[in-house]
Structure formats: C-alpha cells, structure tokens
Amino acid sequence: MKDEIVFILKGYPRLSETFIAQEIRALEQRGVRIRIVSLRFPTDKHVHPVHREIKAPVKYLPEYLYREPLRVWRGWQRARRLTGYAAALRQWLSDLRRDPTPNRGRRFGQACVLAAELGDRDNWPKRLHAHFLHTPASVAHYAHLMTGIPWSCSAHAKDIWVTGDWEKREKLASMDWLVTCTDTGHRTLAALASPANKVALVYHGLDFARFPEPEAHPVPAEGPLTILSVGRLVPKKGYAGLVEALARLPKEVEWRFRHVGGGPLRGALDTQAKRLGIAARIEWLGARPQETVLEEYRRADLFVLNSRIAEDGDRDGLPNVLMEAQSQRLPVVATRLAGIPELVIDGETGSLVPPEDPAALAGAIARLLRDPGLRTRYAEAGFRRVRQLFSMERGIDDLDRRFRSESG
C-alpha cells in the first residue's frame, strides 16, 4: 500500500526487543500503517502482551537462501528487471570485497526477494525503515537501490559498534535520516554523516501504561534481600563479572539472585557459580514475558546490570531494563558505560561503577543491601527522573512526524 511503512527487522517477535514492539504499536495507534518484514523466524517460546496487540502483517524472508531456492530464484528474476538492480549489484559487490562473508551474500538475496514481493509498483510502500544499522539496514539499502523507495533507519547498540565506518558512512549517505537512542551513538554517527543533522537523538523511553506506578517497596523485616537482573546471557552484559561480584559480597549479608533472560552463556555461568560456592543462592529463570518480568521488578530489592564492552566491540546503548526497573521504584546499580549515565546519575538516582571491576560492583551492591534508606532514596529519585524525562511519547512524536512527512 502506498501509505505503508515497511519495518525491516532482524527477527520478530523477540522478547529482548520490547522497545521495537512498543514503538510499532504506538505508531499504529496514531494511524501509521506498518508492515513488518523479518529476516529471521522467532525463537522465543513466549511473546509479550504488546506483540499480541500489534496489527501489522508479518512477512518472513528466506532465513537461509538454500532452504527456499525457488522463492529466491523467482525473487532474483524479478529484481534483476528493476531499474535500480544494476546499482544495487554494484553496491553489493563493493561491500562483498570488503566483507567477504556468507552473511553478505544472504543479505543481497533477501533484498531481491523483498523487492520482488513488494507487489505492483503503483502500490509500493511509502518507505522502508530498518531497525539496526547492520544486517536489516543492508537489506533495506539494497532494496532501496533496486526500487528507489526511500529508506531510513533506527540504530541502537551492537549495530553501531560492530559495523565498519566505511559501511556506516555509505549507508548514511544513502538513507534519508537515522535516529539513535543514546547521545554516545548520536555523536558517533553524526560524525560520519553529511550533513550531520541527518542523525537525530530519539530516546525509546517507556510506555508507562505497561509499567504503571507501583506501591513503594516495603523494607524486608528479615530474610535474604533479592537482587534482580534482566538481560540476555551474552558477553556484553557482563554476567561473569556479576557472578564474581556476588561471590565477593560479605558473608554476613543475606541475599539471593534472580535472573531473567535466555542466552548462550547459561551453562558457563552456572558452572562458575558452582565453583564459587554460590549456586544455591542463584535462580536462572530463562526468558519470560513482560507481565512476569514486571512481577519480578516488584518483588526485588535491588536491580543490577553489569554492562561491558565485548571483545568484538559490542556493547549496550541505553538498556530499557534499567528504565523499567526504575519505573517500578527499584534502586539500580549499573556500569558507567555508553548511554547508561544519561539515565542513571551516580549518587543521586542510582550507583554507577566502572566496567570490568567486580570488586567495585560488589562494594556498590553491599552498600545498598546494608542501607535500606539509601535504597529508598535511589528508588524514589530514579522513579521521578524516568517518569519525567523518559516517556515513550516524546520519541513517538518525533517518529510519527517523520513517517508522515513526504520527505521523511
């Protein structure tokens, strides 16, 4: 449909990408017509309530080209007749020389299928919009060159830091605009864009209808305090360092740790906890839907996120889980990294420690566990700040304006 925006996502639905789902639903509620194109099939066992509310139709491109050879062949036959196919092929070959990987070939094949299956030219969508500057943006870029349909992008975290400057620069030159969710990411990408104002800072924020104001956290009279963390078990989340920090907590402090999220490091972390003698105090809950996560925030006494820079350069942007925790009057301890200090003010709305410093992390956790008054002060200050400055509505206002504009 002519007035549609095609959102190109790496995978849909994903429990770890609530911010994308809440954005799509909020835009739909304002009348923006959206179609979702996903490069991968879902792998999570659950979905969030917001996923069930989204009305946009979903198309899955061939996740691996060899699994749908006829569809890929038909897509290529149609795409090669498009006016911009030669330009897209030149761009892809140039990219392939600099990044000779199977993923690069898959992106071009997916773009051919996408361009071929957009329907009649008279009903092509108004815009292609990629979430993430790496793989989805590559598919959007090649499809844009084939069709001439304008495109734009939302950049977040890993996609900014693991994508080469040459690729970011060329994609920025091709697209109409890009929004990103941290000041650090904004400054990095604006330096590569011409003009620099092609890149805008737009925070995700929270949908407070889904994270309503809770009652104040009661101070436990006795028993262990609950430390909570929510995040994928991947290197950039720093859970190995967090487990080490937990093992360093003073013996007289009573605690238990609950973690929500899936990921490949579960086995290694469980082994580490057993080696350190703290496995009995830890519960790995796996991925959970949003309503369950909300209950965990409300039952916990302290939230901890030990973000770090992974060996490949991957790192967090501004993790939504920190905003979610603060919206539920939960005091937070986090690392001084990327966009986190834009949300958490050390010593005022939470505690920040250096990355890769389990001793400092243990000290910050112990201090808060021992001091219920400090937990309450951080909880209330964090709650006020996130409610005042990090509402989803500001960002949705900006995106709504961009998507309705003829020029984007």
Side-chain angles (χ1 to χ4, degrees):
M1 299 292 291
K2 282 186 175 182
D3 62 343
E4 276 188 331
I5 310 296
V6 172
F7 271 50
I8 302 174
L9 311 180
K10 191 169 184 179
Y12 179 86
R14 282 184 166 179
L15 290 177
S16 61
E17 295 176 358
T18 316
F19 57 95
I20 296 177
Q22 76 171 15
E23 175 184 298
I24 291 172
R25 184 59 186 139
L27 289 167
E28 283 186 333
Q29 290 174 319
R30 295 188 180 207
V32 178
R33 293 174 58 86
I34 294 172
R35 194 188 327 172
I36 297 170
V37 171
S38 177
L39 310 186
R40 291 183 177 177
F41 292 97
T43 57
D44 294 320
K45 296 178 181 178
H46 308 281
V47 297
H48 293 311
V50 66
H51 290 123
R52 292 189 286 269
E53 297 170 14
I54 288 172
K55 307 300 183 185
V58 183
K59 176 193 288 288
Y60 291 95
L61 296 179
E63 185 168 347
Y64 296 99
L65 304 184
Y66 70 86
R67 292 181 179 173
E68 298 186 68
L70 292 179
R71 186 181 178 195
V72 174
W73 173 257
R74 287 194 297 267
W76 176 70
Q77 287 285 358
R78 295 171 187 164
R80 66 196 291 262
R81 293 194 290 270
L82 294 171
T83 304
Y85 177 80
L89 181 62
R90 286 194 298 272
Q91 179 69 56
W92 175 67
L93 290 172
S94 175
D95 294 346
L96 187 64
R97 283 193 293 271
R98 294 171 288 185
D99 177 32
T101 62
N103 281 342
R104 184 65 62 176
R106 183 161 62 244
R107 294 169 199 173
F108 189 75
Q110 289 176 319
C112 287
V113 173
L114 172 60
E117 295 182 359
L118 285 174
D120 183 78
R121 184 186 300 266
D122 292 336
N123 288 311
W124 274 354
K126 177 181 179 180
R127 170 171 299 280
L128 307 176
H129 184 76
H131 261 284
F132 293 104
L133 189 51
H134 51 358
T135 305
S138 293
V139 175
H141 187 194
Y142 300 142
H144 153 76
L145 291 172
M146 293 177 198
T147 63
I149 298 171
W151 79 290
S152 49
C153 184
S154 294
H156 301 290
K158 177 179 182 178
D159 52 319
I160 299 174
W161 308 116
V162 303
T163 304
D165 282 356
W166 62 266
E167 186 170 1
K168 288 182 284 198
R169 189 177 288 110
E170 291 177 13
K171 286 176 176 175
L172 284 163
S174 171
M175 69 180 72
D176 291 336
W177 49 266
L178 177 145
V179 294
T180 190
C181 52
T182 68
D183 182 60
T184 304
H186 174 251
R187 286 185 280 108
T188 298
L189 293 173
L192 298 172
S194 182
N197 65 5
K198 180 179 281 193
V199 178
L201 172 61
V202 178
Y203 289 117
H204 297 305
L206 280 188
D207 179 356
F208 293 121
R210 300 184 189 278
F211 291 90
E213 180 175 352
E215 299 294 330
H217 276 275
V219 178
E222 58 182 21
L225 297 175
T226 299
I227 304 166
L228 174 68
S229 190
V230 179
R232 294 188 65 233
L233 296 172
V234 294
K236 71 176 179 180
K237 297 295 185 179
Y239 282 110
L242 176 52
V243 170
E244 182 179 341
L246 293 174
R248 290 171 176 250
L249 291 175
K251 295 188 183 302
E252 68 272 14
V253 175
E254 292 188 79
W255 59 270
R256 63 175 182 157
F257 175 70
R258 293 171 67 83
H259 172 268
V260 177
L265 298 182
R266 163 72 181 274
L269 291 166
D270 201 28
T271 299
Q272 179 190 10
K274 290 175 181 175
R275 175 174 54 81
L276 294 171
I278 59 172
R281 297 186 177 195
I282 295 177
E283 294 181 79
W284 306 103
L285 303 175
R288 290 289 186 269
Q290 193 174 70
E291 57 265 42
T292 303
V293 180
L294 181 60
E295 292 173 5
E296 291 292 333
Y297 288 133
R298 292 183 170 183
R299 286 201 296 257
D301 299 292
L302 178 64
F303 186 86
V304 180
L305 193 66
N306 187 40
S307 301
R308 60 184 288 270
I309 300 175
E311 290 183 5
D312 63 357
D314 187 14
R315 70 200 73 174
D316 276 328
L318 202 174
N320 265 41
V321 293
L322 287 170
M323 287 185 267
E324 292 172 6
Q326 290 187 314
S327 79
Q328 299 307 297
R329 286 194 169 95
L330 190 55
V332 303
V333 176
T335 47
R336 194 176 288 105
L337 183 72
I340 293 173
E342 297 169 45
L343 172 69
V344 181
I345 301 174
D346 186 34
E348 295 183 25
T349 67
S351 182
L352 295 180
V353 300
E356 311 285 6
D357 194 339
L361 183 61
I365 294 171
R367 182 184 177 208
L368 278 159
L369 292 182
R370 286 167 162 162
D371 191 338
L374 184 61
R375 292 201 304 274
T376 299
R377 289 198 297 275
Y378 282 178
E380 291 300 324
F383 172 80
R384 289 193 300 270
R385 180 172 171 79
V386 79
R387 298 284 298 197
Q388 291 170 0
L389 300 179
F390 290 91
S391 167
M392 175 189 70
E393 295 303 318
R394 293 186 182 187
I396 297 302
D397 287 344
D398 185 291
L399 290 170
D400 187 22
R401 176 185 58 78
R402 291 174 184 273
F403 287 135
R404 291 183 186 279
S405 168
E406 288 299 318
S407 62

